[in-house]
Amino acid sequence: QVQLVESGGGLVQPGGSVRLSCLVSGFTLDVYSVGWFRQAPGKEREAVSVMSSSDGSTYYKDSVKGRFTISRDNAKNTIYLQMNSLKPEDTAVYYCAADIELSSLLSYPSLIVHWGQGTQVTVSS
């Protein structure tokens, strides 16, 4: 059974840090490109960061560049998102995703095969 299970969300103060984890089971992660998406209330889901399986190249949404870092540990079948200098506008439900096709993660999220259930991150004082 394929599962992506996020953890690490919660309430954090502005300027604080959080590391999200996404444990994958049911398939081997190393040939998949991976990504993190988020959805704030009343807004559409958006890509936050994506990492290619082939060369490890990364993409970041402009507003998180320099603050967020995506990484993966294929041996542990786990994806991470380190989030630093958090702002209230980062408040959202964060989802991990995996797909064989990098283009799905970058441009066609409706085609992404594997999604986690989401974890809430709330940035507030």
Side-chain angles (χ1 to χ4, degrees):
Q1 182 181 3
V2 172
Q3 280 191 308
L4 285 73
V5 179
E6 299 99 336
S7 60
L11 176 64
V12 61
Q13 292 188 341
S17 297
V18 165
R19 188 176 82 155
L20 303 182
S21 300
C22 174
L23 177 62
V24 176
S25 59
F27 64 91
T28 302
L29 190 59
D30 57 352
V31 298
Y32 283 73
S33 293
V34 297
W36 288 92
F37 292 71
R38 70 186 181 188
Q39 187 167 20
K43 295 187 177 181
E44 293 188 355
R45 190 176 300 190
E46 61 182 5
V48 174
S49 183
V50 173
M51 175 178 274
S52 167
S53 63
S54 59
D55 60 4
S57 58
T58 55
Y59 155 87
Y60 292 95
K61 179 179 172 60
D62 283 347
S63 62
V64 308
K65 285 180 181 177
R67 300 189 298 122
F68 290 12
T69 304
I70 188 172
S71 62
R72 62 196 293 165
D73 185 335
N74 290 335
K76 295 182 178 180
N77 242 31
T78 302
I79 311 161
Y80 303 99
L81 184 68
Q82 178 67 44
M83 305 190 293
N84 299 328
S85 302
L86 283 162
K87 305 176 181 180
E89 51 264 42
D90 295 318
T91 295
V93 178
Y94 285 73
Y95 301 86
C96 60
D99 201 285
I100 289 290
E101 297 293 338
L102 178 63
S103 59
S104 297
L105 291 158
L106 290 174
S107 304
Y108 306 105
S110 62
L111 300 180
I112 293 172
V113 176
H114 302 301
W115 288 96
Q117 83 288 350
T119 186
Q120 176 72 46
V121 174
T122 302
V123 184
S124 174
S125 55

